[in-house]
């Protein structure tokens, strides 16, 4: 048995090294014969590779039976198709009425060949006339086959001329190969060179970072599957990795307890329990005893558990596999680090197709240096949270997760919107120097007093936007005047079930206490649209941005709103702070009156139950739906403050989806129609003496921000990391002069005033 494992391992290594002379396909055939020997030659075997949904590529077979070969191949395809649905080993007794199988006289045993724990890449279909006992050793062989089934190797295998297919399958094989080649060609990246290469993207926030790539959701490649040395040594490596994982989890809980949600702590505790789980440890030991390395044993048991969990009907229990997957992947990292001690996971650059807030929460945020995404845009929530946490983030980097390998050195330059992978030494030196300069600048910036006044003596308030607890301390680091927008839904998105009043109260209280005497504006849940909550059932809508979202949900589901208001009231009373509540996506005054009523009822209930109320309660609205502009005077009379959400206001004013790549930057906020609307809003608010601010992302763009100030906005709220830039702009701006200039250019018929404004700033030494 060990011999055959070694044979497969050698073949795999040769495939990896791309040895031209060696015929991998012939070796496949050889291995199939070896398997046959394990069954005393009583079986037929076919190995299928599964490509696209409908495409199964036959690779090699060992066929000794008198049966018609084509029938056997056809039947093996059917067994593989069934396997694709079931995803666990299946036995098909063709005599028991499965009429779809042509061969009516035997048993098929179809073994999944998996990669990455849960991707079905191929199958070993074993046919026998007699009922077979499938031993664990065969499962391990199928697992090792999985190690071949990454796209590179398949490409090499099928490109060999001497695959020994039985004649009837030749034509189909040829077709499949050409189809497969087309697919590989269309997927290959044009930018990749031999070692160092770069990927261009779109900057979503931040400056520069240097770190080591970590492909989100994909464990690192296993270099060695079979262990030639002592199994004790391999077991010791595994034990060390478990210890390291355990220490890391405990440290994370200790250090970040106050920042972690209860769910995150529960999840980490489950990982601790799993590390001591007797059944799993026994599975791992057996796999190592068979001859697998610690990494391969971890991967093998993960796959076996995946298949076992697939057979469980209960969806909740089925979902528990995610914990085994997570902790197995963590063990991989530590095992990998034993070999590559220079590849630290302290400076992580996360590479992902897409990354949600909860995905980011899987990491120790203090160790994340940058994020590279294949998707994302400036107003996506991951970009907002990353900017808030001072993490540079690059979006729309095509092919990033396919082409970058875990552990590779990466430089992320958001100023140039490019990432350098495996950069040359001189590039690293250059960026290390740049990084030092940036750090020095930030240190100076942080010392600037938070008392910001323009050259014409207008006092400006710069507040920060936040959405998760760990961002809140930045209020002090960057000298923000308060939190002008706390997006409560971002924390909700990281939870797995709807939080109780108690849980919410704890969160809001922590935020208020961390902010000390600085005001915090809590926005009620802005869910729906592009921010679904996993545990909140919402109907499918054709146009979610125009659908059932934000306060519309709050009004239709008053219990949700009441729970949140109750928690906010309790938290503010316990922290002895003024409660600022802000309603998102208000479209008419009637909605404000409705929420006022619910707020009033909630306070009355709390008082009746003997609770203290906060010292003061202020109710405000987000102005992000254009209809509200035409009821603005009434709005002012019914609220304590207004904040303009330019992200959504732009989307609805220009009828341009804020998440669409095509619409991205098609319209500019510094354009005549938008600036006239913003001027109208600030004028009415000033007349009505209603405090007004801007909290959309445009507030952090120096050109837009100088215009807002010149129009009369005195409070801007933005990601904390952007405050220093805007401070510098404010200190160098004479808002009166710009105001007169705007009066002229705002009447123009130009698409954007950006160019003119940039020139204006340059001429007057305004720091933008
Ligand atoms: C906005 O729309 O401008 C805003 C600040 O809210 P969000 O980006 O969360 O929709
Ligand atoms: Mg909005």
């Amino acid at each position: 048995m060990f011999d055959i494992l070694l044979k497969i391992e050698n073949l795999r290594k040769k495939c990896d090294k791309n040895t031209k002379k060696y015929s991998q396909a012939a070796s496949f055939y050889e291995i199939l014969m070896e398997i046959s020997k394990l069954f005393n030659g009583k079986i037929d075997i076919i190995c299928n590779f599964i490509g696209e949904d409908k495409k199964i590529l036959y690779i090699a077979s060992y066929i000794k039976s008198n049966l018609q070969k084509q029938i056997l191949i056809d039947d093996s395809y059917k067994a593989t198709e069934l396997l694709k649905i079931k995803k666990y080993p299946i036995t098909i007794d063709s005599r028991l009425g499965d009429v779809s199988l042509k061969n009516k006289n035997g048993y098929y045993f179809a073994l999944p060949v998996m990669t990455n724990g849960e991707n079905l890449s191929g199958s070993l279909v074993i046919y026998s006339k007699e009922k077979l006992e499938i031993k664990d050793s065969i499962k391990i062989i199928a697992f090792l086959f999985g190690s071949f089934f990454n796209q590179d190797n398949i490409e090499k295998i099928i490109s060999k001329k001497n695959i020994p297919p039985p004649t009837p399958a030749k034509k189909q094989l040829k077709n499949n190969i050409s189809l497969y080649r087309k697919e590989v060609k269309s997927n290959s990246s044009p930018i990749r060179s031999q070692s160092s290469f770069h990927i261009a993207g779109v900057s979503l926030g931040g400056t520069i970072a240097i770190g080591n790539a970590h492909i989100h959701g994909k464990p690192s490649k296993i270099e060695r599957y079979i262990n030639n040395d002592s199994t004790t040594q391999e077991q010791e490596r595994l034990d060390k990795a478990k210890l390291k994982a355990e220490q890391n989890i405990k440290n994370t809980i200790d250090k970040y307890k106050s920042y972690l949600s209860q769910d995150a702590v529960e999840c980490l505790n489950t990982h601790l329990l799993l590390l001591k789980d007797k059944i799993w440890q026994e599975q791992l030991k057996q796999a190592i005893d068979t001859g697998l390395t610690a990494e391969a044993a971890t991967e093998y048991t993960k796959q076996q558990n995946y298949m076992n969990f697939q057979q469980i009907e209960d969806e909740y229990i089925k979902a528990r596999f995610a914990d085994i997957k997570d902790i197995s992947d963590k063990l991989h990292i530590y095992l990998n680090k034993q070999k590559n001690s220079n590849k630290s996971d302290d400076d992580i650059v996360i590479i992902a197709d897409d990354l949600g807030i909860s995905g980011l929460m899987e990491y120790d945020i203090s160790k994340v240096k940058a994020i590279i995404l294949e998707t994302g845009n400036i107003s996506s929530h991951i970009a907002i949270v990353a900017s808030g946490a001072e993490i540079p983030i690059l979006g729309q980097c095509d092919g990033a997760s396919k082409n970058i390998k875990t552990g590779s050195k990466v430089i992320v330059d958001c100023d140039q919107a490019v990432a350098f992978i495996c950069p040359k030494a001189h590039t690293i030196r250059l960026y290390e120097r740049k990084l030092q300069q940036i750090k020095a600048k930030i240190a100076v910036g942080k010392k600037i007093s938070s008392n910001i006044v323009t050259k014409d003596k207008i006092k400006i308030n710069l507040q920060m936007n936040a959405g998760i607890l760990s961002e809140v301390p930045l209020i002090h680091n960057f000298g923000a005047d308060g939190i002008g927008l706390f997006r409560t839904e971002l924390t909700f998105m990281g939870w797995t079930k709807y939080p109780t009043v108690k849980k919410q109260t704890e969160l809001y209280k922590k935020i208020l206490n961390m902010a000390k005497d600085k005001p915090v504006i809590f926005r009620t849940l802005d869910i729906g649209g592009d921010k679904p909550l996993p545990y909140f059932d919402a109907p499918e809508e054709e146009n979610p941005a125009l659908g059932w979202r934000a306060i519309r949900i709050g009004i239709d589901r008053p219990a949700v709103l009441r729970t949140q208001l109750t928690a906010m009231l309790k938290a503010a009373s316990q922290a002895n702070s003024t409660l600022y509540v802000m309603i998102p996506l208000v479209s008419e005054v009637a909605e404000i009156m409705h929420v006022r009523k619910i707020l009033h009822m909630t306070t009355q209930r709390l008082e009746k139950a003997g609770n203290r109320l906060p010292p003061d309660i202020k109710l405000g609205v987000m102005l992000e739906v254009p209809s509200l502009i035409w009821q603005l005077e009434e709005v002012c009379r019914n609220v304590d403050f207004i904040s303009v959400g330019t992200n959504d206001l732009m989307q609805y004013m220009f009828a341009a989806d804020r998440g669409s790549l095509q619409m991205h930057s098609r319209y500019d906020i510094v354009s005549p129609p938008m600036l006239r609307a913003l001027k109208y809003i600030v004028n009415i608010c000033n007349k009505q003496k209603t405090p007004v601010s801007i909290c959309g992302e445009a507030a952090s763009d120096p050109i837009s921000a100088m215009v807002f100030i010149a129009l009369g906005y005195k409070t801007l709220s933005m990601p904390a990391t952007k405050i220093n830039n805007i401070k510098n702009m404010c200190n160098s701006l004479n808002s009166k002069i710009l105001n007169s200039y705007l009066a002229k250019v705002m009447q123009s018929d130009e698409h954007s005033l950006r160019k003119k404004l940039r020139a204006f700033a340059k001429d007057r030494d305004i720091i933008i």
Side-chain angles (χ1 to χ4, degrees):
M1 168 67 187
F2 188 69
D3 287 350
I4 181 169
L5 295 185
L6 256 186
K7 216 169 202 171
I8 303 177
E9 174 78 339
N10 288 335
L11 169 63
R12 193 184 56 75
K13 280 187 193 152
K14 280 181 173 141
C15 282
D16 273 355
K17 283 191 192 140
N18 194 11
T19 317
K20 289 260 163 45
K21 279 175 261 151
Y22 202 85
S23 165
Q24 289 93 339
S27 283
F28 255 103
Y29 191 71
E30 226 175 275
I31 288 161
L32 296 179
M33 288 212 287
E34 293 290 338
I35 300 173
S36 168
K37 274 190 214 156
L38 290 173
F39 289 94
N40 302 322
K42 286 184 190 159
I43 57 164
D44 296 326
I45 314 171
I46 300 240
C47 175
N48 291 319
F49 161 64
I50 298 169
E52 278 174 357
D53 264 2
K54 287 193 195 68
K55 193 174 40 153
I56 298 178
L57 177 66
Y58 156 83
I59 288 190
S61 68
Y62 171 76
I63 297 170
K64 58 129 202 69
S65 83
N66 311 327
L67 288 164
Q68 247 190 298
K69 283 159 189 159
Q70 186 58 46
I71 290 180
L72 191 59
I73 290 166
D74 288 350
D75 282 353
S76 87
Y77 283 0
K78 282 188 189 120
T80 306
E81 285 291 350
L82 194 59
L83 197 69
K84 271 166 51 178
I85 302 165
K86 302 268 188 197
K87 294 196 180 159
Y88 54 80
I90 47 168
T91 311
I92 304 160
D93 181 348
S94 63
R95 286 170 304 192
L96 291 181
D98 189 333
V99 284
S100 64
L101 295 174
K102 290 179 194 152
N103 178 8
K104 298 274 192 324
N105 269 322
Y107 298 88
Y108 290 86
F109 193 83
L111 269 173
V113 173
M114 320 275 279
T115 41
N116 289 342
E118 49 191 301
N119 301 332
L120 188 67
S121 309
S123 73
L124 276 184
V125 181
I126 297 174
Y127 167 75
S128 163
K129 284 195 173 155
E130 294 159 24
K131 200 157 191 166
L132 297 171
E133 194 204 335
I134 299 292
K135 298 183 190 116
D136 278 355
S137 48
I138 298 297
K139 292 185 187 165
I140 291 199
I141 290 170
F143 162 70
L144 282 182
F145 261 77
S147 63
F148 282 94
F149 284 79
N150 63 55
Q151 296 223 326
D152 290 352
N153 285 344
I154 292 291
E155 168 77 335
K156 283 177 217 159
I157 290 161
I158 63 174
S159 65
K160 298 289 160 193
K161 295 232 164 47
N162 48 357
I163 299 172
T167 348
K170 242 179 191 161
K171 202 166 165 227
Q172 189 165 4
L173 176 67
K174 229 173 144 185
N175 287 344
N176 282 333
I177 288 176
S178 60
L179 252 173
Y180 178 77
R181 286 210 174 115
K182 248 189 231 160
E183 186 192 328
V184 169
K185 214 169 163 190
S186 69
N187 283 347
S188 61
S189 161
I191 43 171
R192 190 167 182 182
S193 76
Q194 273 223 312
S195 51
S196 67
F197 61 102
H198 68 272
I199 298 182
V202 170
S203 168
L204 305 183
T207 52
I208 287 170
I210 305 178
N212 303 309
H214 179 90
I215 313 298
H216 181 70
K218 280 189 205 150
S220 54
K221 193 175 168 221
I222 298 176
E223 305 288 344
R224 202 167 54 97
Y225 281 77
I226 302 300
N227 160 43
N228 283 334
D229 309 324
S230 95
T231 52
T232 328
Q233 205 175 316
E234 212 55 28
Q235 185 65 47
E236 275 171 15
R237 283 187 61 228
L238 183 68
D239 290 342
K240 257 194 208 159
K242 282 193 302 197
L243 200 67
K244 204 79 206 172
E246 188 180 332
Q247 281 165 351
N248 183 279
I249 296 171
K250 284 183 176 162
N251 282 348
T252 307
I253 297 177
D254 279 355
K255 211 162 148 196
Y256 296 100
K257 207 191 229 145
S258 55
Y259 300 124
L260 291 169
S261 72
Q262 193 55 34
D263 288 330
V265 176
E266 270 167 27
C267 173
L268 291 172
N269 279 327
T270 309
H271 287 182
L272 283 177
L273 286 177
L274 269 175
L275 283 171
K276 300 219 176 307
D277 182 81
K278 287 224 168 71
I279 298 175
W280 186 37
Q281 300 317 318
E282 188 50 37
Q283 285 175 341
L284 285 165
K285 185 175 175 311
Q286 272 177 17
I288 288 178
D289 287 346
T290 318
L292 294 185
T293 58
E295 292 88 333
T298 314
E299 182 63 17
Y300 172 69
T301 54
K302 182 171 90 180
Q303 292 186 10
Q304 295 305 307
N305 281 313
Y306 173 72
M307 293 179 215
N308 294 341
F309 273 68
Q310 281 299 112
Q311 299 176 57
I312 297 170
E313 302 244 310
D314 185 316
E315 286 303 321
Y316 179 78
I317 297 180
K318 215 182 209 172
R320 296 307 93 205
F321 170 71
D323 290 319
I324 298 184
K325 183 175 177 329
D326 277 359
I327 193 68
S328 303
D329 292 347
K330 271 201 182 108
L331 282 185
H332 258 200
I333 293 171
Y334 289 111
L335 284 163
N336 213 25
K337 269 179 70 178
Q338 289 173 2
K339 286 182 291 159
N340 306 301
S341 49
N342 57 330
K343 285 181 186 161
S344 147
D345 70 339
D346 278 356
D347 298 331
I348 302 169
V349 176
I350 304 175
I351 319 283
D353 296 349
D354 197 2
L355 186 73
I357 312 292
S358 51
L360 179 62
M361 293 297 136
E362 287 172 20
Y363 297 83
D364 177 344
I365 291 181
S366 66
K367 292 184 177 166
V368 176
K369 290 287 171 259
I371 299 172
I372 298 179
L373 301 179
E374 297 212 12
T375 54
N377 61 43
I378 199 129
S379 54
S380 57
H381 290 97
I382 188 67
I384 291 169
V385 170
S387 303
E390 302 186 86
I391 301 171
I393 174 166
L394 208 54
Q396 298 169 39
C397 292
D398 277 351
S401 47
K402 213 171 122 222
N403 293 307
I404 306 176
K405 299 219 159 45
T406 285
S408 303
K409 187 135 202 134
V410 180
I411 294 174
V412 175
D413 180 344
C414 285
D415 295 334
Q416 321 260 7
V418 71
F420 299 93
I421 323 302
C422 306
K424 301 247 158 58
H426 65 268
T427 318
I428 299 176
R429 273 198 304 276
L430 172 74
Y431 274 91
E432 278 173 347
R433 214 172 304 143
K434 280 191 181 193
L435 211 53
Q436 269 172 8
Q437 285 165 359
I438 290 171
K439 278 184 188 158
K441 226 167 135 184
I442 288 178
V444 171
K446 281 181 186 172
K447 279 183 203 141
I448 295 175
S449 131
S450 66
N451 191 19
I452 317 289
V453 184
T454 62
K455 275 185 164 171
D456 51 326
K457 306 275 177 286
I458 309 286
K459 161 94 181 79
I460 305 297
N461 267 303
L462 296 184
Q463 300 183 326
M464 65 173 271
N465 294 343
I468 52 173
L469 194 63
S470 54
E471 291 176 274
V472 179
L474 299 182
I475 197 174
H476 306 297
N477 297 355
F478 287 92
D481 291 312
I483 297 182
L485 167 65
F486 190 92
R487 295 176 162 101
T488 57
E489 68 280 356
L490 296 188
T491 308
F492 276 58
M493 285 162 84
W495 283 330
T496 51
K497 54 180 190 276
Y498 193 81
T500 57
V501 171
K502 188 164 171 252
K503 188 165 178 164
Q504 288 189 56
T505 309
E506 273 171 28
L507 170 76
Y508 305 139
K509 198 164 85 178
K510 269 184 200 162
I511 296 167
L512 290 168
N513 287 337
M514 278 182 185
K516 298 195 176 129
D517 51 350
K518 300 194 177 186
V520 178
I521 298 180
F522 289 111
R523 179 171 75 181
T524 61
L525 284 181
D526 187 7
I527 51 174
D530 63 335
K531 289 179 277 190
L533 281 188
Y535 42 88
F536 187 84
D537 261 346
E540 286 261 324
E541 291 176 295
E542 211 152 291
N543 260 320
L546 304 179
W548 198 51
R549 45 169 297 203
I551 199 56
R552 299 168 186 176
I553 296 179
I555 288 172
D556 297 350
R557 296 275 185 281
V560 172
L561 182 59
R562 250 193 337 259
T563 313
Q564 197 175 25
L565 290 175
T566 306
M568 287 176 182
L569 286 159
K570 283 187 165 185
S573 126
Q574 288 166 24
N576 199 24
S577 310
T578 298
L579 174 63
Y580 295 88
V581 185
M582 182 155 72
I583 326 170
L585 209 84
V586 176
S587 310
E588 53 171 355
V589 173
E591 286 171 344
I592 304 173
M593 307 313 283
H594 198 105
V595 174
R596 255 209 190 286
K597 223 153 101 194
I598 296 179
L599 179 61
H600 182 66
M601 271 166 45
T602 315
T603 47
Q604 277 193 327
R605 267 193 211 177
L606 278 172
E607 265 189 317
K608 252 193 203 152
N611 292 289
R612 249 184 340 119
L613 290 181
D616 201 359
I617 303 169
K618 304 269 189 213
L619 181 66
V621 290
M622 297 270 305
L623 200 165
E624 36 192 3
V625 181
S627 59
L628 211 58
I629 299 177
W630 312 112
Q631 267 192 312
L632 201 50
E633 272 145 359
E634 293 86 331
V635 173
C636 288
R637 284 200 282 276
N638 287 289
V639 298
D640 299 302
F641 61 93
I642 291 176
S643 192
V644 183
T646 46
N647 304 338
D648 275 319
L649 190 58
M650 282 284 290
Q651 149 161 277
Y652 299 125
M653 289 277 270
F654 287 106
D657 183 350
R658 67 189 265 188
S660 153
L661 292 185
Q662 282 72 28
M663 289 304 109
H664 173 69
S665 72
R666 184 182 182 97
Y667 300 104
D668 199 341
I669 194 157
V670 286
S671 58
M674 236 1 238
L675 295 189
R676 284 206 224 166
L678 289 171
K679 184 173 161 37
Y680 175 80
I681 295 168
V682 72
N683 285 352
I684 300 276
C685 289
N686 286 347
K687 226 188 254 167
Q688 299 287 326
K689 298 200 168 30
T690 305
V692 62
S693 63
I694 291 189
C695 65
E697 300 310 301
S700 59
D701 160 44
I703 291 191
S704 311
M706 76 174 186
V707 172
F708 301 155
I709 291 170
L711 290 178
Y713 290 88
K714 297 196 178 80
T715 303
L716 304 179
S717 191
M718 65 202 75
T721 45
K722 302 289 172 79
I723 287 179
N724 282 327
N725 279 353
I726 303 298
K727 269 181 193 174
N728 295 337
M729 182 278 293
C730 291
N731 290 333
S732 55
L733 170 74
N734 186 320
S735 70
K736 258 196 205 125
I737 298 177
L738 178 56
N739 184 286
S740 323
Y741 179 71
L742 283 176
K744 275 190 268 164
V745 290
M746 266 166 63
Q747 306 304 321
S748 86
D749 52 9
E750 284 181 53
H751 163 70
S752 162
L753 304 176
R754 192 161 291 268
K755 227 168 148 185
K756 282 197 166 120
L757 290 163
R758 186 166 283 123
F760 176 94
K762 202 170 165 222
D763 288 348
R764 285 159 187 83
D765 293 330
I766 302 170
I767 305 172
I768 52 168

